[in-house]
Amino acid sequence: MLNIIKSDLYRIFKGKAIYIAIIFILILAAISCFEMSPGNIGITTSSDEQPLIEDKELLEKVYETNSLLETRKLMKEYGAFPLDKAQLGANANLYYFFIIVVVIVLVTDLSNSTAKNTLSSAISRKKYYLSKLITCIGLGTFLVLINNYGSYLINLIMNGKEFSSGLLEITKLTILQLPCFYGIISMLVCIGFCFRKTGTFNSITIPLIMVIQLIIMGAATLFHLDGANILNYEFQYIIGNLVSNPSNVYIFKVLALSIFYVIAFNIIGYKVFKKTEIK
């Protein structure tokens, strides 16, 4: 199992994809720091998160301007706020980088003959599955750390201490978010083992977060449910809520949900993989 992990890491770090992903993460962080506003991909952000700007007149000016320089000037005028913390609230964007990780670690192996060659040796399916899962989680953690501490340093250099929440706070928020990320990576690994083809995997996973959000909103409207409460446990909302001083009860519920995701998706993924003929 260790040899598979070493082999995958060697192959990945010899290739270009992981470095392109890191460069994109840092570019997005730099853009957010320059315009002093985190960017979100998706429909929702957080139900509890306070807006960066509460001054309605200033907010109107920010929305009206098309210039990054003007936006930056207006945000600076507003006064100090923890921009790096707000950036971590938009970390659901990392989902798309996790897709890249799972594709290069797992799905390309299953799409080609590489997995069949590996399994025809003395490696059991259990060890193969665990090695791929550990590698995906390890690389996912690496990208989270690059993103969070990279955002912290870029913001500190670009905007100064008055717009920073501090290294300790960034570390605390990183630890809070990691279990949820592991649940999402487990889901992607499960989908990879279930569908195995790169095209199918991408067509399912890329729109998945937004599709889930639309389904929740639609179900809440149709069945007169408390949509806001349900969305509190949707991935993008969780990531945003975890930086908004959540209660201990909410943190515990998110941790329990994340553990359930890790266990459930890996049981499903392994059971499917065990019964599947690898061609």
Side-chain angles (χ1 to χ4, degrees), residues 86-237:
Q87 285 177 292
L88 266 62
N91 269 357
N93 297 342
L94 288 171
Y95 169 78
Y96 300 97
F97 294 97
F98 296 154
I99 291 174
I100 295 170
V101 166
V102 176
V103 166
I104 60 179
V105 171
L106 171 64
V107 182
T108 50
D109 271 12
L110 295 173
S111 292
N112 303 321
S113 59
T114 315
K116 186 177 180 181
N117 294 338
T118 304
L119 292 168
S120 63
S121 63
I123 299 296
S124 68
R125 292 202 176 204
K126 184 178 180 181
K127 287 182 178 179
Y128 182 87
Y129 185 96
L130 285 173
S131 67
K132 294 297 181 181
L133 176 65
I134 290 167
T135 306
C136 287
I137 286 177
L139 285 172
T141 305
F142 174 69
L143 291 183
V144 171
L145 296 177
I146 290 284
N147 175 78
N148 289 9
Y149 290 107
S151 296
Y152 166 75
L153 288 171
I154 292 169
N155 178 56
L156 195 62
I157 293 165
M158 200 176 284
N159 300 314
K161 285 185 179 180
E162 62 270 28
F163 292 95
S164 173
S165 59
L167 191 60
L168 189 62
E169 182 69 8
I170 294 298
T171 302
K172 174 193 160 189
L173 295 175
T174 301
I175 292 168
L176 285 179
Q177 289 182 341
L178 279 176
C180 185
F181 287 138
Y182 294 159
I184 290 299
I185 292 169
S186 295
M187 179 191 75
L188 292 172
V189 169
C190 175
I191 294 171
F193 274 110
C194 288
F195 294 95
R196 299 180 299 283
K197 298 296 180 184
T198 305
T200 308
F201 176 82
N202 287 337
S203 64
I204 292 169
T205 56
I206 290 171
L208 186 59
I209 295 297
M210 285 185 278
V211 169
I212 289 171
Q213 290 172 353
L214 287 171
I215 290 171
I216 291 172
M217 290 176 184
T221 303
L222 186 63
F223 299 107
H224 305 289
L225 303 172
D226 185 355
N229 187 51
I230 296 169
L231 281 169
N232 274 327
Y233 300 97
E234 182 272 332
F235 171 61
Q236 195 169 352
Y237 259 74

Side-chain angles (χ1 to χ4, degrees), residues 8-32:
D8 279 338
L9 291 176
Y10 177 79
R11 173 172 57 86
I12 288 160
F13 283 104
K14 284 288 284 183
K16 296 177 182 177
I18 191 70
Y19 298 106
I20 292 171
I22 291 169
I23 289 167
F24 266 101
I25 285 172
L26 295 177
I27 288 173
L28 289 173
I31 291 170
S32 291

Side-chain angles (χ1 to χ4, degrees), residues 234-259:
E234 182 272 332
F235 171 61
Q236 195 169 352
Y237 259 74
I238 288 172
I239 295 303
N241 285 338
L242 286 174
V243 305
S244 305
N245 301 315
S247 66
N248 290 334
V249 172
Y250 182 77
I251 292 170
F252 177 79
K253 285 181 179 178
V254 167
L255 179 60
L257 182 64
S258 301
I259 292 169

